[in-house]
Amino acid sequence: MLKRPLLLFIVLTALTALPVQATETRLRFCYEDKPLLPFYSGHGLVPADPPGAAIEHLRAAAAASNLQLELIRQPWLRCLQQLEDNSIDALVAEYSADREHYMQMPRTASGEADPRFAMSSFSLCLAYHPQSALPDKLANGGEFTIARPLGYRPIPLPAKSVQVHADSINHALDLVSSGRVDATTVLCQFNDQPVQPAELQQRPVLFHPQPVHRSVGYLMLSNAFFKAQPDVAQNLWQQVANTRSTERYLEYLQQQNP
């Protein structure tokens, strides 16, 4: 009969010989609960099918990084709050100095935001009715109205513009088409390529050629996630760059935003 110390030694040796399976790290990603094509599609708390180009992009990057992706949909301001208190791990946002204390992002050696590892970039132009006086107002410094959806982050707009709230992109375009406002902001460039969202193709609206705003979206990580797993974070940002596909986003632009 084997003595207990010898038996224990045999058991421990056998256990250490078993293959060790790598465990996936969970990434809790939060995004808003309303559609914003090409990035997100569908309403409510459950990810839509198809989910939107940003979610497809993130799924590819997470899989390449051996991360288990958990998708959380809720109001955008709540996503921001929960990233700040480390209740979630990630969201996509542009750089802002007032958010820097609770967001980690890919940076250059000098500490600046590194656009090589961005999720995407886009520019907004003014869309207006062909009979609108917007071009004259812009040229002469006159006051004009811009409709933008509720909840959108304020952006620098031309001087003497007055913002009017809209419920959605389509609502803003309806206000422009009916002549109730002078303009709205629409996507006109994506990853430096000119684009025309599906909402504009059946409407009597024109683009003002000069973009009024350019945004670069980064996968922002919580302080807790970055501190606990800095190497995983760096690899994830690299995979975001490796799996980025402009075509994926352009395909979603042919769908209608509700």
Side-chain angles (χ1 to χ4, degrees):
M1 185 174 182
L2 291 174
K3 294 183 178 180
R4 184 171 298 174
L6 178 59
L7 178 61
L8 181 60
F9 174 77
I10 294 172
V11 171
L12 291 176
T13 302
L15 288 176
T16 56
L18 292 175
V20 178
Q21 294 184 350
T23 58
E24 289 185 329
T25 299
R26 182 177 61 159
L27 181 74
R28 298 168 298 177
F29 176 80
C30 190
Y31 65 111
E32 57 189 312
D33 55 355
K34 61 184 179 181
L36 181 61
L37 294 176
F39 308 101
Y40 314 122
S41 62
H43 292 268
L45 303 180
V46 179
D49 183 19
I55 300 303
E56 290 188 11
H57 184 183
L58 187 59
R59 281 174 173 170
S65 304
N66 195 35
L67 292 173
Q68 180 185 3
L69 183 62
E70 179 182 344
L71 298 176
I72 301 167
R73 298 199 76 172
Q74 55 190 11
W76 173 240
L77 292 180
R78 192 177 302 165
C79 288
L80 290 172
Q81 178 185 0
Q82 292 193 348
L83 190 76
E84 186 170 12
D85 65 23
N86 298 299
S87 300
I88 61 163
D89 304 313
L91 51 75
V92 174
E94 62 181 331
Y95 170 79
S96 175
D98 62 335
R99 299 171 177 170
E100 187 167 10
H101 67 284
Y102 65 91
M103 289 184 177
Q104 297 291 333
M105 61 187 297
R107 297 181 182 274
T108 64
S110 60
E112 302 295 323
D114 194 336
R116 295 176 301 167
F117 303 103
M119 287 282 289
S120 60
S121 66
F122 66 88
S123 294
L124 299 176
C125 293
L126 296 178
Y128 62 99
H129 193 278
Q131 297 179 354
S132 169
L134 178 71
D136 291 337
K137 291 180 178 180
L138 288 172
N140 298 320
E143 185 175 278
F144 63 97
T145 52
I146 298 177
R148 299 195 76 235
L150 289 166
Y152 279 26
R153 182 177 176 83
I155 61 173
L157 293 172
K160 297 191 176 180
S161 61
V162 177
Q163 185 167 326
V164 176
H165 291 305
D167 296 328
S168 65
I169 294 174
N170 272 332
H171 182 214
L173 287 167
D174 287 342
L175 294 176
V176 171
S177 299
S178 64
R180 295 173 62 186
V181 298
D182 292 304
T184 186
T185 53
V186 295
L187 191 67
C188 57
Q189 294 178 6
F190 194 87
N191 288 352
D192 299 320
Q193 292 188 30
V195 297
Q196 185 175 16
E199 291 93 344
L200 302 184
Q201 295 174 11
Q202 304 298 323
R203 295 177 183 268
V205 294
L206 301 175
F207 274 145
H208 193 267
Q210 182 64 38
V212 295
H213 179 66
R214 185 175 187 272
S215 175
V216 181
Y218 295 92
L219 181 63
M220 300 290 193
L221 301 176
S222 70
N223 286 335
F225 186 94
F226 184 82
K227 182 179 180 179
Q229 302 176 95
D231 292 339
V232 173
Q234 295 294 341
N235 181 59
L236 177 58
W237 286 324
Q238 181 62 62
Q239 295 304 330
V240 165
N242 292 346
T243 57
R244 185 169 52 233
S245 168
T246 298
E247 289 303 317
R248 178 192 289 128
Y249 287 86
L250 296 184
E251 289 175 4
Y252 273 95
L253 275 178
Q254 300 312 308
Q255 303 178 27
Q256 287 276 351
N257 259 308

